[in-house]
Amino acid sequence: MRSRAAIGKRGGDGYARRVTKGTGMGAQAVRIGAVWDSTVEVLRGRAGILASLALLYLVVPAVAPSALALAGGGAWGGALVSLAQLVLVIVALLAIAAVASDPAVGHARAQAIGWRRLGAGVIASLSIGLLFVGLLIPVLAVAYAFGVRANEATAAMDVGAMTTAGLGVSSLVALGIAVLAIWLSARLLPVIPVVANEPLSFRSLHRSFALTGGAGWRLVGVSLLYLVVASIVTAAVTSVVGVLARLTLGEGGAALVIALVSGLVSAGLAVVQGVFAARFYVAARDAIGEGAA
């Protein structure tokens, strides 16, 4: 396992040099614009490695369910493919983080890091998932207190008995939880780079909070901008391709083409987000003086 000092020296010699205003100041010293410039530098300089990782671990698994359905695969086959997808996505994100964090990491080494740190990545991912599921509890509790019940026939939530006041309070609580969820997402942005570079699993969440201290709301802005752009790009591309594919190939072939295009778009967006997270991680680590240790 590489030491933090070794990682910091190699990373600092490459991409990270211009992303902080100084060292020892924490994440508030990190300039988001400079992190983005560093991200673009990595995307250009390491495009081949990043593209091959995305194709192998993100695009191919994304197409597999549609290909299996077209071939008449059963429910068990679909479940196994879905499980494999989750595993490969975590490996891919870890490998991308390793490549973007250290210019000395090549294709084979990135894959080795991804597989070696898979267990820690799963623990961190499950921890984040449980954290966000827990955020739903206050919303459901307030809704239940104001009369919302589950419809036994449809399993849907029945809001017919809720008063106007109850609906207003529930909406405010839901909005507050949504803002909190966005803020938490921003603070947890470096979790995967932390797992890829440091011997942490569950504690990577605490480490991520430490690295993003002072930059949380700036990262919220970046996250919202990314979400808007990603949604527009994904909707536009898949809509156009979907119409053309259905007109020329019919429903069966169109499903496979749409899955392929969606996989390519999603993989591209995941690479950009993963590289940005890794570059922020390196910048924040260097800003608190660890990279030069």
Side-chain angles (χ1 to χ4, degrees):
M1 189 70 188
R2 296 168 294 164
S3 68
R4 280 189 204 165
I7 299 167
K9 287 178 181 177
R10 286 196 293 267
D13 289 343
Y15 311 119
R17 184 172 298 167
R18 299 181 300 278
V19 298
T20 60
K21 299 174 184 175
T23 58
M25 295 178 62
Q28 65 267 29
V30 177
R31 296 177 295 172
I32 298 298
V35 173
W36 173 249
D37 291 340
S38 178
T39 299
V40 173
E41 184 182 348
V42 174
L43 291 171
R44 289 174 176 170
R46 318 215 70 188
I49 295 176
L50 293 170
S52 62
L53 289 172
L55 182 64
L56 180 62
Y57 289 98
L58 296 176
V59 177
V60 172
V63 177
S66 295
L68 184 66
L70 198 61
W76 279 106
L80 290 175
V81 168
S82 297
L83 179 61
Q85 276 184 302
L86 293 175
V87 170
L88 293 175
V89 165
I90 295 174
V91 172
L93 295 179
L94 289 168
I96 289 168
V99 169
S101 301
D102 186 349
V105 172
H107 190 277
R109 190 175 174 190
Q111 292 186 83
I113 291 171
W115 285 107
R116 186 173 68 244
R117 300 295 296 153
L118 174 61
V122 169
I123 292 173
S125 299
L126 287 175
S127 300
I128 293 173
L130 290 174
L131 176 62
F132 281 94
V133 169
L135 292 179
L136 296 176
I137 295 176
V139 179
L140 295 176
V142 170
Y144 187 86
F146 282 100
V148 173
R149 298 293 184 270
N151 188 306
E152 295 182 1
T154 63
M157 301 301 290
D158 185 2
V159 298
M162 180 177 282
T163 64
T164 302
L167 182 60
V169 172
S170 299
S171 299
L172 287 175
V173 172
L175 179 61
I177 294 297
V179 172
L180 177 59
I182 294 171
W183 181 79
L184 284 174
S185 298
R187 295 299 301 271
L188 294 172
L189 179 70
V191 163
I192 290 297
V194 168
V195 173
N197 287 282
E198 303 180 20
L200 302 174
S201 53
F202 177 76
R203 288 183 59 213
S204 63
L205 277 68
H206 180 270
R207 171 69 167 159
S208 180
F209 264 78
L211 288 169
T212 55
W217 290 111
R218 286 182 288 152
L219 290 174
V220 166
V222 173
S223 299
L224 289 175
L225 179 60
Y226 171 85
L227 181 62
V228 170
V229 172
S231 300
I232 293 173
V233 170
T234 302
V237 173
T238 54
S239 296
V240 172
V241 172
V243 171
L244 294 176
R246 288 187 178 91
L247 289 175
T248 57
L249 300 174
E251 287 297 327
L256 187 59
V257 171
I258 292 171
L260 175 60
V261 173
S262 298
L264 288 169
V265 173
S266 298
L269 293 170
V271 169
V272 173
Q273 184 183 36
V275 173
F276 180 87
R279 299 316 306 152
F280 181 89
Y281 161 77
V282 173
R285 185 193 59 199
D286 290 349
I288 59 178
E290 295 180 2

